Amino acid sequence: MILDHTDQNPGAKVLLSLACLVVIVFGLQFAAPILLPSALALFLAVLSLPMMIWLRKHRVPKASAIILPVIVNVAVVVLLILVASSSVSELQRELPTYINTLQQLQIAWMESFEARTDIVVSDWVDTDLIINPGAILGLAGGAVGWLTRLLSMTFLVFLIMAFMLSEAAVFPAKFRYLTGRNGLEEDRLSKVVTEVQTYLGIKTVISLATGLILGSWAYVMGLDFPVLLGLAAFLLNYVPTVGSIIAAIPAVLLSVILVGTISHAFLVAVGYVVVNLVFGNIIEPNLLGRRLGLSTLVVILSLLFWGFIWGPLGALLSVPLTVILKIWLENTPDLRWVAILLDKNPPLVANVTADAGD
C-alpha cells in the first residue's frame, strides 16, 4: 500500500529521494576517514589490476602477484616525495621574498596607473585585499598541511589496495552467486570494470604527459620549481577545465615575480593553454571517446560536491569518481537516464531506441 501511495504521489517520491540524498551526503562526510583512503586505494587498485592479471597469467604465485603491484605503487610515491620534498622546502624559504616582490610590483603598477589616469585606486579598492601576505602564507601552510595528512594515510591506502587486489580474483564468483545468473550480470560487471580501467589508465597517461611537458616548459621559461609545477599540472589534469586554470596560476605568478614583464607571463600562459587544448580537446576525446565525457556543468558541480564532502582530495578525485559513477549508471538499465544527464553530448535517437530495446 505504501508503494502504491508513493507511486500515485510523485511529489512525495521526489521528497523521499531528496531526503535519501541528504542522508547519503552526510553519511559520506561522516565516514570520510574510512571512505577517502578506500577511494584512493580503489583508484590505485583499478590501475594495478592489469599488472596483477598479467603476472598471474605468467604463473606468478598469487601472493607475489598482489605484492609486486603494491611495491611498484609505493616506489612511485616515494620517488615523487623525494623529488618534490627539496622543492617544497626551498619554496617555503623563498615564499616571503616572493610575496614582498609581488607587493612592490603592486605598488609600482598602481602608481603608474594613477599617474596615467588621475584615479586614486585606494579610493575604490582595498589594496590590502589584492595581495594579502597573511592569506598567501596561510594558503601555502594549508597546502603543506594537506599534503602531510595525505602522506600520513598512505600506509592505510596501500594496505586497503592490497586487500582489494586479493579480492579481485574471487569477487566475480561472489557476484555470480549473489545474482544467481552467470550470463548478463557477469558481462555487465566485466564491462563496467573494463571501462573504468580504460578511463583511469588513459587519463593517468595523459596527465603524466601533461605534467612532463608543462614542467619542461616551466624549466625552459626559466621559472623556479619546475618539478613542483609539473607535479601540480599532473595532479590537476584529473580535473578538466578548472584544473588547468588552477595549475597555470602559480606559473604565471612566478613569471611576474622573476621576470616582471607581461610578455613573459603571457608566453607562459600560452604554453599552458596550448598543451591543455591539445590534450584536453583533441587527444583525450579521441582516445576516450565522447561517451565518457562529462558536461562542463557536471564537472563544476562534481568539483563542488566532492570538495564539500571530502575536501581538497575529494575535489581532486571529483571527475574520476563521477566518471566511474556514470559508467556504472550507463550499465544499469533503470538508471541509464541519469548517465544521459551527466553526459557531455546527448545520444542519438537511434542509440536511445536501441538501448531501450535492450
Side-chain angles (χ1 to χ4, degrees), residues 192-210:
V192 170
V193 173
T194 302
E195 289 184 355
V196 170
Q197 283 179 342
T198 301
Y199 170 77
L200 291 180
I202 292 176
K203 189 68 177 178
T204 299
V205 171
I206 290 176
S207 298
L208 182 60
T210 301

Side-chain angles (χ1 to χ4, degrees), residues 54-107:
W54 183 86
L55 291 172
R56 291 292 290 158
K57 285 182 178 179
H58 288 75
R59 298 182 180 180
V60 176
K62 181 180 178 181
S64 300
I66 294 172
I67 294 173
L68 285 175
V70 177
I71 292 176
V72 170
N73 282 273
V74 171
V76 171
V77 171
V78 170
L79 179 63
L80 290 176
I81 293 173
L82 292 177
V83 170
S85 58
S86 59
S87 298
V88 171
S89 300
E90 187 178 352
L91 175 62
Q92 288 181 315
R93 291 194 301 268
E94 295 293 334
L95 192 58
T97 304
Y98 290 158
I99 295 175
N100 183 53
T101 303
L102 273 179
Q103 288 179 314
Q104 292 177 355
L105 287 173
Q106 174 186 323
I107 294 173

Side-chain angles (χ1 to χ4, degrees), residues 60-350:
V60 176
K62 181 180 178 181
S64 300
I66 294 172
I67 294 173
L68 285 175
V70 177
I71 292 176
V72 170
N73 282 273
V74 171
V76 171
V77 171
V78 170
L79 179 63
L80 290 176
I81 293 173
L82 292 177
V83 170
S85 58
S86 59
S87 298
V88 171
S89 300
E90 187 178 352
L91 175 62
Q92 288 181 315
R93 291 194 301 268
E94 295 293 334
L95 192 58
T97 304
Y98 290 158
I99 295 175
N100 183 53
T101 303
L102 273 179
Q103 288 179 314
Q104 292 177 355
L105 287 173
Q106 174 186 323
I107 294 173
W109 289 340
M110 286 194 303
E111 289 178 349
S112 175
F113 178 79
E114 291 173 353
R116 291 196 305 266
T117 61
D118 293 330
I119 297 176
V120 181
V121 178
S122 58
D123 292 342
W124 299 89
V125 179
D126 187 356
T127 55
D128 292 334
L129 295 178
I130 300 176
I131 299 178
N132 190 331
I136 297 176
L137 289 173
L139 182 62
V144 172
W146 172 69
L147 288 175
T148 303
R149 290 193 298 272
L150 176 61
L151 293 176
S152 66
M153 70 169 68
T154 51
F155 174 76
L156 180 60
V157 169
F158 288 125
L159 183 64
I160 297 174
M161 172 191 168
F163 283 106
M164 284 182 174
L165 290 176
S166 66
E167 287 289 319
V170 298
F171 181 77
K174 294 180 179 180
F175 189 78
R176 287 195 301 269
Y177 179 81
L178 290 176
T179 58
R181 291 187 286 181
N182 296 329
L184 181 61
E185 294 297 330
E186 183 179 1
D187 292 341
R188 184 174 296 159
L189 176 63
S190 300
K191 184 179 178 183
V192 170
V193 173
T194 302
E195 289 184 355
V196 170
Q197 283 179 342
T198 301
Y199 170 77
L200 291 180
I202 292 176
K203 189 68 177 178
T204 299
V205 171
I206 290 176
S207 298
L208 182 60
T210 301
L212 289 174
I213 293 175
L214 289 178
S216 301
W217 177 247
Y219 177 78
V220 169
M221 296 302 295
L223 302 182
D224 293 343
F225 315 112
V227 173
L228 278 182
L229 293 174
L231 183 59
F234 163 69
L235 293 174
L236 291 171
N237 192 66
Y238 284 101
V239 183
T241 308
V242 180
S244 59
I245 296 174
I246 297 175
I249 291 175
V252 174
L253 285 177
L254 275 176
S255 174
V256 172
I257 293 170
L258 298 174
V259 181
T261 61
I262 300 299
S263 59
H264 189 274
F266 178 76
L267 188 59
V268 171
V270 167
Y272 272 78
V273 171
V274 169
V275 170
N276 283 285
L277 283 177
V278 171
F279 280 102
N281 294 337
I282 300 176
I283 298 178
E284 187 173 316
N286 289 330
L287 292 177
L288 290 176
R290 295 186 178 275
R291 192 178 56 78
L292 289 181
L294 297 174
S295 71
T296 305
L297 177 61
V298 171
V299 169
I300 301 299
L301 293 179
S302 65
L303 184 68
L304 296 175
F305 177 78
W306 293 107
F308 170 74
I309 292 177
W310 288 344
L313 194 54
L316 189 64
L317 296 175
S318 60
V319 173
L321 288 171
T322 306
V323 169
I324 292 173
L325 178 63
K326 178 174 176 285
I327 292 172
W328 174 69
L329 292 171
E330 283 177 341
N331 291 276
T332 305
D334 56 331
L335 295 176
R336 196 170 297 171
W337 63 273
V338 183
I340 294 175
L341 293 178
L342 298 177
D343 209 328
K344 185 175 184 179
N345 297 306
L348 298 175
V349 177

